[in-house]
């Protein structure tokens, strides 16, 4: 069906003669034949097994049995087949596009998302979604109306004048002339929608205001067309969309798969969001069999930790270890680490912490903060590592922050948590705003803070060293005090990576950034020091726009000389490829073969100063002797002066100790991941 629609659209735009489109036309015809034969089979199946009572009361039976009151004639089989295809085409694409756009608006507007979900929880609760809920889900209706205003899937429709006339006393139209109504424009008219016409504000579409708008500006909102030929499927589509969204939001929480995705609208006959992917997380640990039973109307019980909008029981009322009962845990107690991170620092810290967990007797799970909405575990400690962006949460933390800020009373009594914040003191007013907010709000909600919040400053601190200090000196001792566990004084990374070399040449690129093209570069102020200033002109990729105040991300490379130094230090061939498999979360490209130069250029930071723990782990692999003593000195008394202040990197140390047998996987594990700079 999609191929037919696409080809139908393309045919309208043709400029070349018919003969040059022969093969495309053959494919078009053969796809139409498939549609017709499938519709024919549906019709034949119904004709073979008719129900005497005319049930089910669906469109197919209406077309089969209906008689035109004026002519007394019934529809022909041919016409029924045509109409079946029309309903399929007109009804599928449009509704699917509206559902996708609505989901996009919901995941990018946490506040709206919370209100919709709260309404569904209030109106539907945990039982099956029924038809009489449709009229009661008023805010959800407003959200769909506002979505259709913003992105009507059919963004224009046409009318032909049947006679000469003057429209609105102003516009002279002759019989036979076509007029196109551009919804994409008229739906954003500030005369109707005011200053906020370009903002997503579902409140304006609540029944009373919507009716007022439609009265004051007739047809101002017409995603279903107008008049006699307006959409015949509108009531059906409305029910379908409300029921589908109610079911989805009742049972799942959705987060954007790629939090830095920005909307790209793809146009065929309808418009749709392109490459928009979301992740569904069952609410409160809903199991597949419970979902199946609920959809069948056979289960209306609450799931563990389910539904925590204000009128629902809280997850923390259920289960779990009370923190003040300090008891020993068996190896494998869960440590859950959530991160809010746009450019990767906090995400990397979360992965590092997860890697360390096993040596402390914990089994770690890592996820984004948004995945923790309504799902804060109570069966073990939680560590939250987050940054702030202009005082707001990172893209993958907005729903979580909105959720905790809007919870009433003490609801998280069984949650035990620790927060670590990354920030930059140049943002004076909102320095560490989000980690602080999370830390204090969780406490207000009754959760137990197990250790004072740790922080670091991107302005002038070695962030990873600071994090390691907090982790080693405060976090683990606190976790062990409350939860037991064991500490191994082994600072060497456990070998969660194994590395093998091969030769195919495939390059893996970062997915969360799109490449711009530098079209002009000239030096404005040259300087021997670091402060040279350049003028750059960048051509943006298609579908990306830039307005004053937007940020450009720079995904840097390590300098070629540094990469070559690393290659030489580990005696690698410059054109060798590497395949990494990882048993723990990692930001390195895994299970794919990539050139070693690409890995060292693009995925890891080679120039960052070594952390204390990095040096210590090199000390641990050194054989007894002078090198070992020197590494011990660098890792302890001389760390501050000889490593941190001189910004000595792991590679520098590796070169300084050429005889040190550092396995390559060990080296990779020590390096921080390459981060974007904004
Ligand atoms: C959100 C979902 C939908 C949207 C936004 C939508 C939109 C539209 C629009 C703009 C038109 C043209 C109206 C005009 O020219 O004034 C139309 C026509 C039509 N729609 Fe829909 N539609 C949707 C769902 C459906 C569904 C579910 C069905 C069938 C099951 C359907 C069947 C039709 C048919 C048959 C027509 C042609 C009506 C005629 O020419 O008389 N639509 N739709
Ligand atoms: C555009 C922008 C805005 C920022 N706003 C803040 C802020 O409001 N408060 C703050 O403490 N840090 C702010 N920072 C600093 C980041 O939070 C800090 O660099 C952090 O380490 C980023 O972590 P991440 O890589 O995990 O996202 C901002 C950074 C950028 C690039």
């Amino acid at each position: 069906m999609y191929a037919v629609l696409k080809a139908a659209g393309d045919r309208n735009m043709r400029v070349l003669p018919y003969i040059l489109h022969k093969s495309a036309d053959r494919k078009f015809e053969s796809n139409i034949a498939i549609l017709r034969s499938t519709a024919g089979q549906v019709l034949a199946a119904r004709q073979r097994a008719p129900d005497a009572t005319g049930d089910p009361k669906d469109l197919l039976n209406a077309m089969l049995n209906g008689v035109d009151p004026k002519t007394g004639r019934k529809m022909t089989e041919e016409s029924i087949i045509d109409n079946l295809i029309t309903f399929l085409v007109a009804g599928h694409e449009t509704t699917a596009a509206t559902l996708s756009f609505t989901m996009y608006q919901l995941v990018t507007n946490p506040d709206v998302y919370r209100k919709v979900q709260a309404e569904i929880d209030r109106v539907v609760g945990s039982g099956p979604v029924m038809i009489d809920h449709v009229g009661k889900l008023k805010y959800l209706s407003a959200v769909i109306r506002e979505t259709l205003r913003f992105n009507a899937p059919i963004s224009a429709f046409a009318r032909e004048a049947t006679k000469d006339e003057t429209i609105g006393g102003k516009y002279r139209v002759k019989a036979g002339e076509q007029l196109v109504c551009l919804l994409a424009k008229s739906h954003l008219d500030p005369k109707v929608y005011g200053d906020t016409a370009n903002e997503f504000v579902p409140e304006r579409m609540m029944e009373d205001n919507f009716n007022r708008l439609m009265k004051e500006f007739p047809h101002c909102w017409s995603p279903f067309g107008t008049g006699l030929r307006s959409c015949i499927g509108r009531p059906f589509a409305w029910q379908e969309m409300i029921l589908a969204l109610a079911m989805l939001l009742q049972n799942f929480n959705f987060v954007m798969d790629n939090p830095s995705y920005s909307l790209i609208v793809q146009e065929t006959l309808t418009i749709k969001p392109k490459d928009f992917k979301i992740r569904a997380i069952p609410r409160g640990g809903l199991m597949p069999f419970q979902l199946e039973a609920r959809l069948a109307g056979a289960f209306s019980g609450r799931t563990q930790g389910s539904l925590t909008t204000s009128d629902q029981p809280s997850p923390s009322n259920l289960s779990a270890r009370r923190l003040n009962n300090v008891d020993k845990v068996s190896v494998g107690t869960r440590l859950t680490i959530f991160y809010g991170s746009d450019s990767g620092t906090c995400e990397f810290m979360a992965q590092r912490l997860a890697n360390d967990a096993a040596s402390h007797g914990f089994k770690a799970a890592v996820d984004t903060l948004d995945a923790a909405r309504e799902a804060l575990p109570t069966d073990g400690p939680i560590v939250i590592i987050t940054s702030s962006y202009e005082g707001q949460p990172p893209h993958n933390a907005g729903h979580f922050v909105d959720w905790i800020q809007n919870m009433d009373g003490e609801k998280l009594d069984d949650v035990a948590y620790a927060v670590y914040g990354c920030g930059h003191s140049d943002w004076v007013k909102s320095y560490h705003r989000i980690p602080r907010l999370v830390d204090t709000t969780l406490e207000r909600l009754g959760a137990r803070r197990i250790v004072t919040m740790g922080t670091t400053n991107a302005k002038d601190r070695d962030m990873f060293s600071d994090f390691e200090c907090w982790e080693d000196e405060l976090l683990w001792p606190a976790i062990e005090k409350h939860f037991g566990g064991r500490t191994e004084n082994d600072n060497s990374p456990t070998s969660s990576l194994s590395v093998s070399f091969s030769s195919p040449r495939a390059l893996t690129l970062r997915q969360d950034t799109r490449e711009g093209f530098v079209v002009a570069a000239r030096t404005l102020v040259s300087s021997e020091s670091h402060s040279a200033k350049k003028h750059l002109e960048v051509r943006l990729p298609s579908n990306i726009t830039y307005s004053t105040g937007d940020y450009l991300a720079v995904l840097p490379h390590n300098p070629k000389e540094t990469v070559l130094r690393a290659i030489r230090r580990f005696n690698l061939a410059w054109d060798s490829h590497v395949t990494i498999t990882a048993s723990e979360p990692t930001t390195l490209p895994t299970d794919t073969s990539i050139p070693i130069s690409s890995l060292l250029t693009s995925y890891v930071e080679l120039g960052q100063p070594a952390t204390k723990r990095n040096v210590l782990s090199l000390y641990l692999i050194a054989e007894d002797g002078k090198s070992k003593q020197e590494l011990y000195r660098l890792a302890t008394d001389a760390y501050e002066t000889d490593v941190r202040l001189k910004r000595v990197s792991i590679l520098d140390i590796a070169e300084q100790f050429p005889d040190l047998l550092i396995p390559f996987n060990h080296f990779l594990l020590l390096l921080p991941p390459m981060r974007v700079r904004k």
Side-chain angles (χ1 to χ4, degrees), residues 215-320:
K215 214 165 143 195
E216 207 173 318
F217 306 97
H219 308 303
C220 62
W221 180 89
S222 12
F224 294 97
T226 55
L228 269 183
R229 300 312 295 253
S230 69
C231 177
I232 189 179
R234 177 172 170 173
F236 176 78
W238 206 259
Q239 270 183 20
E240 192 183 10
M241 292 190 294
I242 299 260
L243 293 175
L245 286 166
M247 267 185 228
L248 289 171
L249 295 167
Q250 179 196 36
N251 294 303
F252 297 96
N253 279 326
F254 293 92
V255 291
M256 193 96 91
D257 190 44
N258 168 10
S260 49
Y261 173 83
S262 49
L263 184 64
I264 303 168
V265 175
Q266 185 176 41
E267 272 187 85
T268 46
L269 279 190
T270 56
I271 58 165
K272 282 225 189 92
K274 185 168 186 277
D275 298 334
F276 168 55
K277 294 198 173 76
I278 47 176
R279 201 150 60 91
I281 302 163
R283 287 180 80 190
L286 183 73
M287 304 299 283
F289 69 90
Q290 291 169 322
L291 176 61
E292 203 179 345
R294 177 180 283 172
L295 294 180
F299 169 72
S300 61
R302 302 223 177 271
T303 54
Q304 193 202 25
S306 71
L307 310 182
T308 51
T309 44
S310 51
D311 55 342
Q312 304 291 342
S314 111
S316 50
N317 295 339
L318 303 153
S319 91

Side-chain angles (χ1 to χ4, degrees), residues 334-633:
R334 189 151 76 123
L335 167 72
T336 316
I337 306 157
F338 294 110
Y339 61 86
S341 177
D342 270 4
S343 55
T345 318
C346 298
E347 181 176 359
F348 176 65
M349 288 173 178
Q351 284 164 354
R352 262 291 154 87
L353 183 60
N355 277 315
D356 296 341
S359 66
H360 291 267
F362 285 81
K363 219 166 93 188
V366 182
D367 213 329
T368 60
L369 249 184
D370 275 350
R373 174 183 47 183
E374 297 191 341
L376 275 176
T378 52
D379 58 352
I382 295 166
V383 179
I384 294 173
I385 308 170
T386 184
S387 53
S388 322
Y389 283 85
E390 299 191 344
Q392 298 306 311
H395 281 97
N396 45 18
H399 287 274
F400 176 82
V401 171
D402 182 81
W403 172 59
I404 54 170
Q405 278 188 292
N406 287 285
M407 272 173 86
D408 299 328
E410 298 217 339
K411 298 198 164 205
L412 298 173
D413 318 19
D414 290 329
V415 169
Y417 74 98
V419 175
Y420 193 82
C422 292
H424 193 303
S425 52
D426 274 2
W427 276 270
V428 180
K429 287 197 178 142
S430 54
Y431 183 42
H432 290 138
R433 178 173 177 264
I434 296 302
R436 279 185 210 293
L437 186 148
V438 170
D439 192 48
T440 50
T441 311
L442 289 180
E443 186 188 36
R444 178 173 61 74
L445 292 169
R448 176 74 60 101
R449 184 190 293 116
I450 49 179
V451 65
T452 319
M453 183 175 93
T455 55
T456 184
N457 188 349
K459 184 171 180 160
D460 53 7
R461 301 289 310 174
D462 294 324
M463 302 175 85
F464 298 113
S465 283
D466 281 353
F467 179 71
E468 278 177 12
C469 280
W470 178 77
E471 189 194 332
D472 291 344
E473 288 164 23
L474 296 172
L475 179 70
W476 284 118
I479 289 182
E480 278 153 23
K481 186 169 146 224
H482 291 296
F483 289 86
R486 69 185 151 79
T487 305
E488 284 171 0
N489 272 337
D490 172 9
N491 281 307
S492 63
T494 51
S495 215
S496 57
L497 293 189
S498 71
V499 174
S500 66
F501 295 92
S502 64
S503 31
R505 291 172 187 267
L507 209 77
T508 312
L509 287 172
R510 293 277 300 233
Q511 290 169 5
D512 53 351
T513 48
R514 305 249 337 262
E515 278 182 48
F517 191 77
V518 177
V519 286
R522 56 177 193 275
T523 303
L524 296 174
V525 179
S526 69
S527 165
E528 301 289 285
S529 72
H530 294 299
S531 53
K533 290 192 173 47
K534 294 202 173 222
H535 167 96
L536 288 183
E537 288 172 29
V538 180
R539 189 170 68 224
L540 298 177
S542 57
N543 301 319
I544 300 271
T545 53
Y546 178 89
S547 328
T548 315
D550 285 354
Y551 291 95
L552 278 183
V554 177
L555 182 57
H557 286 151
N558 289 307
K560 200 169 168 191
E561 312 80 67
T562 316
V563 173
L564 286 173
R565 277 172 50 205
I567 288 177
R568 269 197 301 274
R569 169 60 180 80
F570 288 92
N571 295 323
L572 304 169
W574 70 270
D575 59 350
S576 58
H577 285 56
V578 57
T579 303
I580 300 172
T581 50
S583 56
E584 301 284 354
T586 175
T587 42
L588 297 173
T590 51
D591 303 319
T592 180
S593 163
I594 78 162
I596 190 70
S597 54
S598 165
L599 178 74
L600 292 172
T601 304
S602 314
Y603 290 93
V604 286
E605 302 264 6
L606 290 174
Q608 291 284 314
T611 65
K612 213 172 201 179
R613 207 193 298 169
N614 291 157
V615 191
L616 209 55
S617 80
L618 294 179
Y619 153 78
L620 286 171
I621 55 174
E623 306 244 315
D624 283 339
K626 253 175 105 181
S627 297
K628 196 166 180 88
Q629 278 171 18
E630 175 59 6
L631 280 164
Y632 184 73
R633 195 185 68 83

